[in-house]
């Protein structure tokens, strides 16, 4: 066999695949950058202070004055409430899994497994589920309804992300706390939570970012309104749905506002996501 | 108390399935399952509920998206983990992860502004077809971009678990880097790659808003990728307004949600089982 | 006739990012002998060994200056074909890393890469080198089962057979017995003693007694510098450098 020839063919194969890889990576990065670029280019000219500080006025959807403050506030309230509810459930559950249960406990395994599955459930299904709960309790489309659906949507994300960091808390630290006579409960909330706080905050931020961008779970549950949110039981506007509805109208003016709204929402999410990342980086710096 | 909460949260999956099942019971009581799943007759006001066109729409869009995304993402993740130098990797990885957070309604908007015209004016004529742009292909392309970050993220994690000593063993035998990847790395990472793809697929399966905005929403079985389709999630999302005014309609839509739920659970369980991979574990210790 | 050495190193410097891991190493490795690299952990033994077949290439931010000549060819020449260089050397790492495939395919891996497709020839190669590594009798009935099923000691011998099957001139061993039980270690050491009549063997070890048992020639590295090198007898019985002496007496480690 001709060695020189053989290595030629092998190198050629490698180079072909390498080019394919570079091309694939480039295509994905380019597509994602293109989305960002489209949103900025379309949205920036329509973005104004008035858009961010006013509720829609009459004739807004025909191109008249007003803004999307209703949706911004609605989204913040709704997602904020949902995040709070989710923390109230996630934190005790995660602490229980990691502090009270032994390593390899079947309950912990099943819980993590089920959270992973919940994570994969599409948001439209959470919307439909939230809707059935609302029917059961006689709640109409409202801020509260949306909050419930989004709570279910972000609960698994929050729990799993918290779980990842709480798991990292060294066992020696907990032992040291027990040795000082602390109970499990005290250890969990005073030692473990404090140690994992940056990671827990990151988990909350990630969940918030995911919740605030979701539309499909809200279609059934939150409704939509032009007025600012005032009551838990009244329908509430949200940014994703505001984008969806404004984008769907034929008026170029209103579509422009859809772009501006999309830019607003994207910026909120990017800021949250970058903040979460920085927090993690700072956190790991402290640990190492 | 904490234990109760932990157990209860574990049961949410069951609770959701049960709730949706209870709400789909009326329609399941009246129609045979085969009619629901395999009939295309869709006239809710006449009491005809055949989901086949919607099921087909979902499958088409999901398959097209996977077909585009999986090979591209696997190649990209190999590049990122094996070839790209550290600095490039440290930029592209987070960039992709952060953009994964872009809300689906924004993906949908981008789809309408960029992908739909692309399909209508360039891709369809290129293949000698006609398309209004709002089509299976548009939905598939948008979805492919949406699920890429998920697949890449998991694949890169999986590739990172392949020990560098194992790669060096192959290199030391005179293999090129690509041969090492092809024969050794991919073999080790295959289960994880499959799991990543299945997770991406299941994400595509349930995606609602973005797909709904670009796919055309015509309740007919698509024949080519240039035809419009009407996937299940879009059906549910589009008809929430009327569903309480037509008998059985709400039950029908929640049955659709139940279908989605079951398929997604199935996908997730499968990928989870692959990842914990008893079948491959023999090759794992190295 | 005096043979030109297979491996000779001139002014080799290796940097990992800002870390200067090897300082100006120059040495000629004698042919068909066992050369042992000793020194405390973290002194650059493994780096020196892996610089011989350019496995350090895959470290992020690595920079190499100076030259390593293998059969007179500078392997750090940009035009050098790295797969060709690596084929001249078989590597045994600290822990055996069987490739994720069958026992047979592990040994046939190298020859197949070079384009050997003839089944009969491959069969012969596999059997021959499994014999050389004295593994044949233990595995001849299960050649198609996954290599990972073998015991660690068997795996290391498989790695030896696999490395020999590419037809190297040199065998590199990076503490190849450190993960093995005493019996398997002895097995491997015996193979080295047999193989040194055909191959140039370079071993890294931190076990002094093993070095004394095996070495014909010794390199002593400390903090990335080659402190002393010479025939084993000289180094162990009459080292010139104070540091070498202290290391051998166990004063520094």
């Amino acid at each position: 066999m001709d060695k020189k020839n053989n290595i030629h063919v092998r190198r050629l194969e490698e180079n072909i695949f390498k080019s394919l890889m570079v091309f694939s990576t480039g295509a994905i990065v380019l597509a994602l950058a293109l989305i960002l670029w489209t949103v900025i280019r379309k949205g920036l000219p329509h973005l104004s202070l008035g858009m961010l500080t006013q509720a829609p006025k009459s004739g807004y959807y025909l191109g008249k004055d007003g803004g999307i403050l209703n949706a911004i506030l609605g989204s913040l309230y709704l997602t904020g409430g949902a995040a709070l509810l989710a923390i109230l459930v996630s934190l005790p559950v995660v602490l229980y899994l990691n502090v009270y249960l032994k390593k390899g406990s079947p309950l912990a395994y099943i819980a993590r497994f089920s959270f992973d599955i919940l994570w994969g459930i599409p948001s439209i299904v959470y919307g439909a589920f939230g809707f059935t709960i609302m029917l059961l309790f006689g709640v109409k489309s409202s801020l509260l309804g949306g909050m419930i659906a989004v709570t279910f949507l972000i609960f698994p994300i929050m729990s799993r992300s918290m779980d990842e960091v709480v798991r990292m808390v060294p066992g020696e630290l907990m032992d040291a706390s027990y040795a000082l006579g602390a109970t499990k409960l005290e250890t969990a909330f005073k030692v473990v939570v404090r140690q994992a706080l940056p990671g827990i905050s990151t988990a909350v931020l990630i969940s918030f970012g995911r919740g605030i961008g979701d539309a499909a779970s809200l279609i059934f549950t939150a409704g939509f309104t032009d007025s600012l949110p005032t009551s838990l039981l009244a329908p509430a506007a949200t940014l994703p749905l505001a984008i969806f509805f404004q984008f769907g109208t034929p008026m170029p003016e209103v579509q422009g506002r859809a772009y501006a709204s999309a830019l607003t929402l994207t910026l909120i999410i990017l800021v949250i996501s970058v903040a979460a990342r920085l927090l993690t980086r700072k956190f790991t710096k402290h640990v190492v | 108390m904490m234990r109760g909460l932990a157990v209860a949260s574990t049961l949410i999956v069951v609770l959701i399935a049960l709730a949706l099942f209870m709400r789909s019971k009326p329609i399941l009581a009246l129609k045979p399952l085969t009619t629901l799943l395999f009939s295309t007759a869709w006239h809710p006001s006449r009491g005809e509920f055949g989901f086949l066109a919607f099921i087909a729409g979902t499958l088409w869009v999901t398959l097209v998206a996977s077909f585009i995304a999986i090979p591209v993402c696997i190649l990209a993740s190999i590049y990122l983990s094996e070839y790209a130098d550290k600095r490039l990797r440290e930029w592209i990885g987070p960039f992709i992860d952060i953009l994964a957070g872009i809300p689906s309604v924004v993906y949908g908007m981008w789809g309408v502004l960029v992908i739909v015209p692309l399909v209508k004016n360039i891709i369809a004529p290129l293949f000698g077809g006609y398309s209004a742009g709002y089509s299976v292909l548009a939905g598939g392309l948008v979805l492919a971009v949406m699920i890429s970050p998920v697949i890449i993220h998991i694949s890169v994690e999986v590739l990172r678990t392949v020990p560098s000593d194992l790669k060096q063993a192959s290199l030391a035998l005179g293999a090129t880097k690509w041969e090492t990847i092809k024969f050794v790395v991919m073999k080790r990472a295959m289960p994880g790659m499959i799991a990543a793809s299945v997770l991406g697929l299941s994400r595509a399966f349930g995606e609602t808003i973005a797909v709904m905005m670009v796919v055309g929403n015509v309740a007919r079985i698509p024949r080519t990728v240039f035809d419009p389709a009407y996937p299940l999630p879009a059906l549910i999302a589009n008809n929430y307004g009327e569903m309480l005014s037509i008998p059985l309609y709400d039950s029908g839509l929640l049955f659709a949600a139940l279908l989605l739920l079951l398929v997604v659970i199935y996908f997730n369980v499968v990928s989870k089982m692959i990842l914990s991979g008893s079948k491959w574990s023999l090759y794992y210790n190295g | 006739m005096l043979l030109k050495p297979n491996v000779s190193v001139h002014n080799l410097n290796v940097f990992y990012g800002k870390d200067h891991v090897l300082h100006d190493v120059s040495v000629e490795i004698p042919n068909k002998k066992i050369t042992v690299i000793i020194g405390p952990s973290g002194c650059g033994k493994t780096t020196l060994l892996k610089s011989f077949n350019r496995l350090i290439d895959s470290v992020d931010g690595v920079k190499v200056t100076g030259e390593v000549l293998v059969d007179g060819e500078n392997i750090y020449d940009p035009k050098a074909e790295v797969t060709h260089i690596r084929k001249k050397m078989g590597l045994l790492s600290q822990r055996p890393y069987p490739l994720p495939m069958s026992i047979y395919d592990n040994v046939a891996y190298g020859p197949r890469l070079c384009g050997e497709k003839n089944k009969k020839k491959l069969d012969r190669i596999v059997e021959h080198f499994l014999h050389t590594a004295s593994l044949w009798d233990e595995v001849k009935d299960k050649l198609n089962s996954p290599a990972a099923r073998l015991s660690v000691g068997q795996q290391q011998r498989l790695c030896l057979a696999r490395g020999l099957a590419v037809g190297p001139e040199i065998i590199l061993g990076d503490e190849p017995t450190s993960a093995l039980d005493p019996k398997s270690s002895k097995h491997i050491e015996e193979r080295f003693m047999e193989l040194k009549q055909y191959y140039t063997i370079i071993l890294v070890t931190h076990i002094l007694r093993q070095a004394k048992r095996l070495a014909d020639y010794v390199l002593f590295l400390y903090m990335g510098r080659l402190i002393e090198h010479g025939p084993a007898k000289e180094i162990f019985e009459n080292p010139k450098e104070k540091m070498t002496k202290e290391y051998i007496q166990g004063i520094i480690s």
Side-chain angles (χ1 to χ4, degrees), chain A residues 10 13-14 17 21 24 32 35 39 96 113-114 116 120 124 131-132 135 155 213 219-220 244 269 277, chain B residues 3 9-10 23 72 83 97 99 101 103 106-107 110 174 177-179 182 208 212 236 240 243 264 272:
Chain A
R10 289 162 63 193
E13 184 186 320
E14 170 153 42
F17 274 94
M21 287 176 205
S24 302
L32 291 171
I35 294 172
V39 174
Y96 182 76
F113 190 75
S114 95
D116 282 346
I124 186 81
F131 182 71
T132 57
L135 283 182
F155 163 73
I219 293 183
F220 295 99
F244 184 66
I269 289 174
R277 226 152 240 289
Chain B
R3 185 180 177 84
S9 63
T10 304
R23 302 283 306 173
V72 171
Y83 283 101
D97 282 352
L99 290 186
V106 174
Y107 273 99
W110 173 73
K177 204 160 187 177
W178 167 245
E179 285 161 345
K182 189 165 66 166
T208 310
M212 176 169 118
I236 304 171
Y240 71 99
M243 72 180 190
V264 166
K272 185 93 182 172

Side-chain angles (χ1 to χ4, degrees), chain B residues 85-86 89 163 165-166 168-176 179-180 183-184 187-188 282-283 285-286, chain C residues 50 53 55 58 60 83 86-87 89 91 95-101 109 113 146 148-149 162-163 166:
Chain B
D85 71 73
K86 207 175 155 199
R89 201 167 54 216
D165 288 293
L166 184 65
Q168 293 200 350
S170 164
L171 291 174
L173 292 168
T176 62
E179 285 161 345
T180 300
F183 296 123
V184 177
K187 197 150 180 186
R188 274 287 287 261
L282 256 184
Y283 288 110
N285 77 71
Chain C
K50 288 191 173 175
N53 67 351
L55 271 184
S58 45
D60 268 322
T83 58
R86 289 184 183 141
K87 266 188 46 183
M89 313 189 199
L91 174 76
R95 285 184 51 210
Y97 279 92
L99 303 174
M101 46 188 82
Y109 186 78
L113 289 177
R149 259 186 220 163
R162 179 180 75 185
V166 298

Side-chain angles (χ1 to χ4, degrees), chain C residues 2 84 90 108 112 127 137 198 237 245:
Chain C
L2 236 137
H84 191 62
R112 275 184 180 142
E127 181 173 348
D137 293 330
Y198 312 106
E237 286 168 13
K245 194 185 242 163

Side-chain angles (χ1 to χ4, degrees), chain A residues 135-158:
Chain A
L135 283 182
L136 197 67
F137 292 103
V139 179
K140 296 236 168 58
S141 290
S142 60
L143 193 59
L144 180 65
M147 236 180 241
I148 293 171
V150 173
T151 305
F152 277 105
L153 175 77
I154 65 178
F155 163 73
I157 303 173
M158 196 183 277

Side-chain angles (χ1 to χ4, degrees), chain B residues 129-189:
Chain B
Y130 165 79
S131 176
Y134 294 90
S135 57
V136 170
L137 184 59
L141 279 167
V142 170
L143 267 182
V145 179
M146 285 184 82
I147 63 176
S148 294
V150 183
I151 303 181
I152 292 182
H153 187 98
I154 305 174
S155 299
V156 169
E157 296 274 295
V158 169
L159 286 169
R160 199 174 295 166
T161 62
V162 178
S164 65
D165 288 293
L166 184 65
K167 293 183 225 168
Q168 293 200 350
S170 164
L171 291 174
L173 292 168
T176 62
K177 204 160 187 177
W178 167 245
E179 285 161 345
T180 300
I181 291 165
K182 189 165 66 166
F183 296 123
V184 177
V185 177
M186 284 305 277
K187 197 150 180 186
R188 274 287 287 261

Side-chain angles (χ1 to χ4, degrees), chain A:
Chain A
M1 63 195 138
D2 186 352
K3 258 183 200 152
K4 278 263 152 59
N5 232 342
N6 169 285
I7 192 66
H8 246 65
V9 176
R10 289 162 63 193
R11 285 282 178 217
L12 183 69
E13 184 186 320
E14 170 153 42
N15 285 333
I16 291 172
F17 274 94
K18 213 173 148 185
S19 332
L20 281 176
M21 287 176 205
V22 173
F23 174 79
S24 302
T25 312
I28 290 167
V29 171
L30 211 70
L32 291 171
L34 191 64
I35 294 172
L36 208 57
W37 169 242
T38 307
V39 174
I40 295 172
R41 190 179 51 109
K42 289 271 185 180
L44 211 51
H46 296 277
L47 197 63
S48 66
L49 200 62
M51 277 242 11
L52 301 179
T53 54
Q54 296 171 22
K57 300 199 171 131
S58 65
Y60 176 79
Y61 295 101
L62 300 169
K64 295 263 175 57
D65 244 9
I68 51 163
L69 185 65
N70 60 330
I72 296 177
L73 285 184
S75 269
L76 290 178
Y77 290 171
L78 195 153
T79 319
L84 211 65
L85 286 175
I87 294 173
L88 289 180
V89 187
S90 295
L91 196 58
V93 168
V94 168
L95 289 176
Y96 182 76
L97 295 185
N98 288 288
V99 179
Y100 285 78
L101 292 182
K102 292 198 183 71
K103 279 218 161 74
S105 129
L107 177 59
Y109 179 80
I110 294 170
R112 292 190 175 108
F113 190 75
S114 95
F115 297 161
D116 282 346
I117 288 174
L118 282 175
W119 192 328
I121 293 176
S123 61
I124 186 81
V125 172
Y126 281 108
F129 172 65
F131 182 71
T132 57
I133 294 188
M134 286 159 60
L135 283 182
L136 197 67
F137 292 103
V139 179
K140 296 236 168 58
S141 290
S142 60
L143 193 59
L144 180 65
M147 236 180 241
I148 293 171
V150 173
T151 305
F152 277 105
L153 175 77
I154 65 178
F155 163 73
I157 303 173
M158 196 183 277
S159 303
R160 273 312 247 143
S161 326
M162 279 186 188
D163 186 43
E164 293 295 322
V165 283
V166 171
R167 254 176 159 174
M168 294 297 164
V169 174
E172 290 88 345
L173 198 66
M174 290 190 232
D175 291 342
S177 163
Y178 299 141
L180 293 173
T183 63
K184 285 205 163 178
L185 196 67
E186 288 166 335
T187 306
F189 279 95
K190 288 192 183 143
V191 177
V192 176
V193 169
R194 188 167 299 168
Q195 173 75 9
L197 198 57
I200 291 175
S201 319
T202 301
V204 173
L205 282 179
I206 290 173
S207 322
F208 189 89
R210 177 76 201 281
I212 203 170
D214 195 70
S217 61
L218 298 178
I219 293 183
F220 295 99
T221 52
F224 201 82
T225 173
D226 282 353
S227 47
L228 299 179
T230 47
S231 155
L232 270 178
L233 293 173
T238 45
L239 271 172
L241 289 183
I243 299 167
F244 184 66
F245 292 139
Q246 295 176 100
F247 187 64
T249 61
M251 305 279 299
E253 283 273 305
V254 184
Q255 283 192 0
R257 287 176 188 155
Y259 303 144
S261 316
L263 180 58
T264 312
L265 178 59
T266 307
L267 283 179
I268 293 177
I269 289 174
L270 291 189
V271 167
I272 291 173
S273 166
V274 171
R277 226 152 240 289
L278 292 180
L279 210 59
T280 323
R281 192 171 294 173
K282 212 170 161 193
F283 174 56
T284 43
K285 209 186 277 171
H286 274 291
V287 168
V288 175

Side-chain angles (χ1 to χ4, degrees), chain B residues 167-241:
Chain B
K167 293 183 225 168
Q168 293 200 350
S170 164
L171 291 174
L173 292 168
T176 62
K177 204 160 187 177
W178 167 245
E179 285 161 345
T180 300
I181 291 165
K182 189 165 66 166
F183 296 123
V184 177
V185 177
M186 284 305 277
K187 197 150 180 186
R188 274 287 287 261
M190 192 52 87
M193 296 275 199
I194 294 174
S197 306
V198 173
L199 283 178
L201 206 111
S202 104
R203 182 64 68 85
F205 199 80
E207 175 51 41
T208 310
I209 300 287
V211 180
M212 176 169 118
M213 289 166 80
V214 299
V215 83
N217 300 331
V218 176
R220 220 181 304 132
I221 298 179
R223 276 160 301 137
T224 76
V225 292
F226 299 122
D227 286 344
Y230 204 159
L232 281 170
L235 171 75
I236 304 171
N238 266 331
N239 296 290
Y240 71 99

